[in-house]
Amino acid sequence: MSVLIQHTEPAPTRLPPDWSGIHGCALPVAPGAATGLLDVHALVLTVTGPLLAEVDFTEHLCGPGTALWIRPGQAVRFGEPPGEGRPSREGEPPGETATIVFRRGLFGPEELPDLVPDDPSGPAARPLALPAPDVLRAAFAHLTADADGDAGPIAAAMLRHQLAAVLLRLRTLEPPLDPAGHVEGRTFERFQRRLEEGYPHTRRVEDYAAELGCSVRTLTRASLALTGRTAKQVVDDRVALQARRLLAATPLSVAEVGRILGFGEPTNFGRFFHRETGLSPGQFRGRYAAGSDGGIPVQRQAVD
């Protein structure tokens, strides 16, 4: 099964080897490609562009010299931008890319300054214009070449250092929105990390506040400051996002998706999903699969 696209036909990709956890990879770019779930991190550098990348139901048009960091678990597909026509040269793929994939857990939480790669937020979550794209392209080429070399602890350490340099370069180009040390930023970061582990088991903000040793009011204040949404809305957003991922990219039944997300009864899951997206789970799956002109439903907006 492809490392980038699950539940579809195999794509021309490569798994990161166990000895290093890092490798170069080709993207499965095709018109009308199916949506799949990402197993690993993928750093995508658009060389010639444009490339159309749909990540968690948001389309991104990646022009030449942009970087996009796609995280494990995200729903993703790549395709040709509409109206681009045929490639200019026979056999040349549209949107030439260079891609590095690496497995989660490769770096510890304190290993890279001001950057935790496995956190859901971070640099280049949207296409990031690079001031010197050739520098990153050369780094990708060196990484890919070294990953194809002889295996061993020295080679693995060298690859990790090269990848760390690339990730830190992206961080310097796109610093965090919240300044380091800001109390609400730290609170929300802890909340977000715990939410990634806990959302299939509880949607109660009280449970997260108790685990973090703070009040619901503190979590809500931090969430509003960082996202403009309450802590309860942040929790529900995360559950609804995972529901959309599983409905769009897996063959799981609606009842199975609901059970995975902690809903004992399909009707309860259906009501929750309809409240969040305006569609039933079945309507969402059918509408998405049909590629209707109505677009993909998004999270509900906060109400005053």
Side-chain angles (χ1 to χ4, degrees):
M1 186 158 299
S2 161
V3 60
L4 284 181
I5 299 296
Q6 293 183 341
H7 309 295
T8 66
E9 293 300 315
T13 60
R14 301 187 68 173
L15 285 166
D18 291 337
W19 66 270
S20 68
I22 306 168
H23 217 297
C25 170
L27 290 181
V29 179
T35 297
L37 299 181
L38 198 67
D39 276 341
V40 293
H41 292 270
L43 296 176
V44 182
L45 172 64
T46 306
V47 178
T48 60
L51 171 74
L52 186 65
E54 184 183 278
V55 182
D56 277 343
F57 315 104
T58 297
E59 289 187 348
H60 302 287
L61 186 61
C62 306
T66 61
L68 180 66
W69 185 348
I70 309 170
R71 272 70 176 183
Q74 291 189 311
V76 59
R77 70 176 167 184
F78 303 95
E80 299 179 34
E84 290 299 321
R86 293 183 176 272
S88 58
R89 294 193 297 270
E90 184 68 23
E92 179 189 17
E96 180 191 352
T97 61
T99 306
I100 296 296
V101 293
F102 62 99
R103 66 170 182 257
R104 67 183 86 199
L106 201 60
F107 298 98
E110 305 296 333
E111 193 166 349
L112 302 179
D114 198 29
L115 179 61
V116 181
D118 289 337
D119 272 359
S121 60
R126 295 178 177 273
L128 175 62
L130 304 171
D134 287 344
V135 173
L136 202 61
R137 186 178 184 183
F140 276 41
H142 284 300
L143 258 170
T144 301
D146 290 339
D148 281 328
D150 294 333
I154 294 178
M158 181 173 62
L159 285 169
R160 291 180 78 256
H161 280 292
Q162 292 180 68
L163 177 60
V166 168
L167 300 183
L168 291 171
R169 182 180 295 276
L170 293 176
R171 168 53 78 206
T172 62
L173 294 175
E174 188 176 272
L177 295 176
D178 190 65
H182 193 286
V183 61
E184 290 178 342
R186 293 198 305 268
T187 299
F188 185 75
E189 181 181 358
R190 293 172 59 220
F191 175 36
Q192 198 171 36
R193 290 185 191 179
R194 185 63 195 94
L195 179 59
E196 283 301 302
E197 300 173 1
Y199 72 84
H201 312 294
T202 180
R203 298 185 301 280
R204 285 169 38 89
V205 178
E206 294 84 353
D207 294 339
Y208 294 102
E211 291 186 28
L212 296 174
C214 65
S215 67
V216 170
R217 184 176 181 179
T218 296
L219 283 188
T220 296
R221 184 168 58 247
S223 298
L224 286 170
L226 271 295
T227 69
R229 297 177 71 75
T230 68
K232 177 57 176 171
Q233 288 169 334
V234 169
V235 173
D236 287 346
D237 288 348
R238 183 63 185 90
V239 175
L241 171 60
Q242 194 65 18
R244 291 190 294 153
R245 287 173 174 175
L246 296 176
L247 289 169
T250 78
L252 295 170
S253 70
V254 171
E256 288 173 321
V257 171
R259 282 195 296 270
I260 288 172
L261 296 176
F263 293 88
E265 295 293 333
T267 53
N268 292 336
F269 172 60
R271 283 196 293 269
F272 168 85
F273 191 85
H274 188 275
R275 187 190 75 200
E276 294 298 308
T277 68
L279 296 174
S280 72
Q283 288 172 328
F284 174 85
R285 174 170 272 170
R287 181 176 178 180
Y288 190 74
S292 72
D293 294 334
I296 303 302
V298 297
Q299 300 294 141
R300 77 184 194 281
Q301 298 300 309
V303 294
D304 296 332

